[in-house]
Amino acid sequence: MKKILFSLLASILLVALVLPACAAPEEAKTIKIGVIGPMEYIQGEHHWYGAEIGRDTVNAAGGVTVGEEQY
């Protein structure tokens, strides 16, 4: 009984992990960048503002080229 229950739960977990990877790709090609900092404090807020300024600057310049693809 325990073996069947374990197999069932393992199968459900496997499907839950694989299913998001099967989703349709986004139409617009994007590059996601994470910002790590103490977001509860003023330093973290300024990390976020700096990341937004960088994003806006790159997007205004037309994005970035990786290989032969434009993002």
Side-chain angles (χ1 to χ4, degrees), residues 7 9-10 15-16 22 26 28-29 32 42 47 54 68:
S7 298
L9 290 175
V15 169
C22 298
E26 298 178 16
K29 295 180 180 180
K32 295 183 180 182
I42 192 73
H47 286 155
E68 296 181 5

Side-chain angles (χ1 to χ4, degrees), residues 21-66:
C22 298
E26 298 178 16
E27 294 208 12
K29 295 180 180 180
T30 59
I31 296 177
K32 295 183 180 182
I33 299 174
V35 179
I36 298 175
M39 296 300 170
E40 296 176 2
Y41 304 105
I42 192 73
Q43 295 90 348
E45 291 178 14
H46 287 278
H47 286 155
W48 186 259
Y49 297 149
E52 287 181 334
I53 291 170
R55 176 204 61 200
D56 294 340
T57 304
V58 169
N59 287 338
V64 295
T65 304
V66 178

